[in-house]
Amino acid sequence: MFNKRVKIRDAVQMAAGREEITVMGWVRTFRNNQFIALNDGSSNDQLQIVLELGKFDDGLLKKITTGASVKATGLLLESPGKGQKVELKASALEILGESDPEKFPLQPKKHSLEFLREIAHLRFRTNTFGAVFRLRHGLAFATHQFFQERGFIYLHTPVITATDAEGAGEMFKVTTLPFDSTPRTESGDVNFREDFFGRATNLTVSGQLEGELAAMGLGEIYTFGPTFRAENSNTARHLAEFWMIEPEMAFYDLEDNMDLAEAFVRYLIHYSLKNNRADLEFLDQRLAEEEKQKLQAERNDQGLIEKLESVANQNFQRISYTEAIDILRDSSSYKKKKFKYDVAWGIDLQSEHERYLVEKHFKKPVIVTGYPKEIKAFYMRQQEDGKTVAAMDILAPGIGEIVGGSQREERLDKLEARMREMDIPLEQMWWYLDTRRFGTVPHSGFGLGFERMVQFVSGMSNIRDVIPFPRTPKNAEF
Ligand code: 4AD
Ligand code: MG
């Protein structure tokens, strides 16, 4: 068996011993022809491999370069050096894969995140991305654990659909029709009857509608999968392909929905604080360094772990959209014309407004409810005032909207009327409307943008740095 190795995360915790162990990993640095700093991705810990001078031949030593992969066997000894408890005194060393130091793009120095994005295939070998992707994994695992503890069913919704779940028209088409001789109807439109599915299809923007169907029989479900938006937003918070967690619950009103969403976000933070502590400490340090580069006035005085603890341990602020507008109009930022976008009842909150509410006014996450129906999706429950819907968004410091959800319109007549007003094709969505025809119940759900959550917990400022291979406008490398 080849893989009889000890992971470095465990090796550095072991006591010096009498039995030899084997480790494998990638060389981070090699000093004085004697000391290898070896990392294997199990944590950011590096095991020092000590090569006795004269014991290994020059040809082998030359191949120990940054990026090379090696297998080392030897005894763990107490380390006389600083910064590590034990080190491995190698009795055998094998090069698994060489790495030409002239060509290997990762040098043992600090690289910019922008540069690392261009070599995203190699950035897993850095401390920052090691920490980020272990954290991301932890948050995914915690998501399943949270819903498992509450008896929710994990539902796999389709990636290819024929509907626009959000009604915003931001879809990537899925087709096998040829581009040069596209079949046409008599009126000159593309003839999708000849397409693979016999109709026009797209990549899903949300699993919600199918989630609702399942909740109307299974009770409480959640989806966790990729979603796609062809919106041309080149920001630090938007991806064309992102992962979303969408729970959908029968017999939940808006308040139940908010309670669940808040509990979920706080649970994820608690989980990371407990289970990804070392990586969070690394990211905390990293962020502190980054803050030092900023001007005094723009610095964040709260550290990452401090921020996470404060968010996880206190209730989120809950306000209505109308209250939010009042607060914004009363603010000195508004009076001094510091907002780029105007504030008036009916606007969609811009990220500068969301951040003002969260970071300046309340200094904690805020749940905003009761948005104007004009700026929200067709499926949201209409409120008595005739103007607003039972929507709720959670806004987080540094991120803005992290969760979007609502109580759903369960009354068939109201739902149909709204769909007609918004030009949503009713006939095509007969299956969705059937849930309101047969045994309809009050129900609710929300979507948590997974990358935005990873961004929040990791403190990374750009969403491209929390997903392995980001898809953004004009970029689909790797
Ligand atoms: O607010 P959104 O568009 O809501 C929905 O899709 C609903 N169907 C959810 C539901 O009720 N089941 O998206 C939900 C969340 C946002 O709050 C945001 O965190 C994230 O998804 N999100 C994005 N994340 C990255 N890149 C994008 N382009 C995103 N668009 C939305
Ligand atoms: Mg939204």
Side-chain angles (χ1 to χ4, degrees), residues 25-29 64-70 97-100 104 106 125:
W26 293 269
V27 174
R28 285 290 176 83
T29 58
I64 307 175
T65 56
T66 298
S69 47
V70 303
E98 293 176 33
S99 172
D100 183 344
F104 185 57
L106 279 176
R125 295 194 200 176

Side-chain angles (χ1 to χ4, degrees), residues 178-411:
F179 289 123
D180 38 8
S181 53
T182 319
R184 301 273 166 186
T185 60
E186 272 170 22
S187 55
D189 298 332
V190 174
N191 187 357
F192 285 106
R193 281 177 192 279
E194 291 193 25
D195 204 349
F196 188 92
F197 296 106
R199 62 193 301 173
T201 52
N202 54 273
L203 292 177
T204 190
V205 295
S206 156
Q208 178 193 322
L209 302 189
E210 290 89 351
E212 283 187 55
L213 310 181
M216 292 300 118
L218 295 170
E220 294 165 328
I221 65 92
Y222 69 105
T223 71
F224 186 176
T227 50
F228 307 85
R229 306 255 167 119
E231 57 185 326
N232 202 358
S233 305
N234 236 323
T235 79
R237 305 182 310 137
H238 287 89
L239 291 164
E241 176 179 308
F242 65 98
W243 287 65
M244 190 159 43
I245 296 145
E246 295 185 277
E248 194 66 38
M249 301 75 65
F251 321 115
Y252 267 54
D253 68 9
L254 186 65
E255 197 186 349
D256 301 322
N257 200 25
M258 283 193 276
D259 289 347
L260 184 77
E262 178 173 340
F264 179 38
V265 170
R266 290 168 64 179
Y267 182 100
L268 291 180
I269 299 173
H270 275 299
Y271 181 94
S272 305
L273 284 168
K274 183 155 175 245
N275 298 284
N276 288 82
R277 192 79 195 183
D279 287 324
L280 280 182
E281 278 165 8
F282 173 83
L283 292 166
D284 189 321
Q285 280 272 314
R286 193 199 148 272
L287 199 66
E289 294 289 319
E290 209 178 73
E291 289 291 318
K292 276 195 212 145
Q293 313 296 319
K294 292 188 188 165
L295 295 172
Q296 189 80 42
E298 286 160 24
R299 273 186 215 162
N300 207 332
D301 35 346
Q302 217 181 23
L304 178 65
I305 292 184
E306 204 187 332
K307 171 191 87 175
L308 294 175
E309 279 170 348
S310 104
V311 168
N313 292 321
Q314 59 179 326
N315 293 335
F316 295 178
Q317 184 71 39
R318 298 183 183 191
I319 58 168
S320 71
Y321 169 88
T322 303
E323 286 168 308
I325 294 294
D326 290 344
I327 291 169
L328 290 167
R329 286 184 67 106
D330 276 343
S331 70
S332 63
S333 296
Y334 178 76
K335 289 177 182 152
K336 290 185 191 152
K337 299 202 174 7
K338 284 208 181 135
F339 290 134
K340 200 168 142 217
Y341 296 89
D342 194 21
V343 181
W345 202 96
I347 62 152
D348 203 355
L349 296 180
Q350 298 296 321
S351 121
E352 57 178 356
H353 306 140
E354 296 177 343
R355 295 188 65 166
Y356 177 87
L357 291 170
V358 172
E359 288 158 36
K360 296 243 159 63
H361 193 82
F362 290 112
K363 300 192 189 334
K364 57 171 159 169
V366 176
I367 312 185
V368 181
T369 55
Y371 283 80
K373 63 178 185 197
E374 276 73 25
I375 58 169
K376 289 291 182 186
F378 68 92
Y379 51 69
M380 296 193 179
R381 193 171 199 278
Q382 297 155 50
Q383 309 208 101
E384 303 308 311
D385 60 14
K387 292 191 299 192
T388 61
V389 286
M392 63 105 182
D393 279 5
I394 300 185
L395 315 178
I399 307 282
E401 181 189 337
I402 196 162
V403 166
S406 72
Q407 184 168 342
R408 316 306 189 192
E409 183 54 82
E410 85 283 12
R411 299 161 295 188

Side-chain angles (χ1 to χ4, degrees), residues 103-172:
K103 295 190 181 137
F104 185 57
L106 279 176
Q107 297 304 316
K109 63 159 202 175
K110 213 168 152 49
H111 292 290
S112 73
L113 295 172
E114 290 76 12
F115 171 72
L116 292 173
R117 243 170 258 153
E118 288 167 19
I119 51 162
H121 59 306
L122 295 172
R123 64 181 180 171
F124 301 106
R125 295 194 200 176
T126 65
N127 285 338
T128 298
F129 289 94
V132 166
F133 291 119
R134 282 187 297 269
L135 190 66
R136 182 181 167 111
H137 161 78
L139 289 167
F141 184 81
T143 292
H144 291 297
Q145 192 167 284
F146 175 85
F147 289 111
Q148 172 69 15
E149 284 171 4
R150 284 160 184 75
F152 282 55
I153 303 295
Y154 178 30
L155 188 82
H156 300 107
T157 49
V159 169
I160 300 175
T161 74
T163 45
D164 179 1
E166 291 300 300
E170 295 168 334
M171 296 172 299
F172 289 101

